[in-house]
């Protein structure tokens, strides 16, 4: 099993960050530093919003962003539906906010699959998380 850093280096994944006022994926999180992040690999790119609590110094790294995306995606992939996902992560299955988060992760999962192509399973199942 390889580390996430080894995965990034092997696939020549690069990151750029741009400061953002809010995280469009999680607008309720006010106490954080928000970024618009672009990951690039070959001729593909993935653009997403990413937030870090104020206690984390420095801009997001490819390692931290991919680690979070892989974690969220793995949880989504393991759930059969919204109710399973909500129960697993302690959300109320009748919550619109929880369903919005689930839909964001669903969209990010599709984006990550397109971005990584045949490397998607390697990230999720053959790469150690941070």
């Amino acid at each position: 099993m390889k580390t996430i850093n080894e995965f990034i280096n092997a696939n020549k994944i690069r990151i750029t960050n741009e400061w953002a006022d809010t995280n469009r994926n999680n607008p309720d999180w006010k106490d954080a530093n928000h970024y618009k992040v672009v990951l690039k690999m070959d001729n593909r790119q993935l653009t997403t919003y990413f937030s870090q609590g104020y206690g984390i110094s420095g801009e997001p790294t490819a390692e931290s962003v991919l680690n979070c995306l892989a974690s969220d995606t793995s949880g989504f992939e393991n759930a059969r539906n919204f109710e399973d996902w909500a129960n697993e992560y302690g959300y109320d299955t009748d919550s619109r906010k929880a369903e919005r988060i689930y839909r964001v992760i669903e969209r990010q999962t599709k984006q990550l699959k397109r971005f990584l192509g045949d490397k998607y399973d390697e990230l999720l199942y053959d790469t150690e998380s941070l």
Side-chain angles (χ1 to χ4, degrees), residues 116-128:
L116 292 175
D118 64 353
K119 303 293 182 187
Y120 176 79
D121 285 344
E122 181 182 347
L123 174 65
L124 261 56
Y125 307 114
D126 298 327
T127 303
E128 291 178 25

Side-chain angles (χ1 to χ4, degrees), residues 3-34:
T3 67
I4 197 153
N5 194 39
E6 290 169 337
F7 177 85
I8 288 166
N9 290 334
N11 293 291
K12 299 179 178 121
I13 297 174
R14 301 165 315 282
I15 186 171
T16 57
N17 298 299
E18 180 181 316
W19 177 262
D21 290 332
T22 61
N23 181 332
R24 292 183 186 173
N25 294 332
N26 191 358
D28 296 333
W29 192 5
K30 305 293 184 202
D31 297 335
N33 294 314
H34 307 290

Side-chain angles (χ1 to χ4, degrees), residues 15-57:
I15 186 171
T16 57
N17 298 299
E18 180 181 316
W19 177 262
D21 290 332
T22 61
N23 181 332
R24 292 183 186 173
N25 294 332
N26 191 358
D28 296 333
W29 192 5
K30 305 293 184 202
D31 297 335
N33 294 314
H34 307 290
Y35 299 89
K36 183 178 180 182
V37 173
V38 179
L39 295 171
K40 295 181 180 179
M41 179 179 72
D42 300 326
N43 61 347
R44 292 175 273 184
Q45 73 177 38
L46 182 153
T47 302
T48 192
Y49 286 85
F50 188 81
S51 299
Q52 302 182 138
Y54 289 137
I56 300 173
S57 61

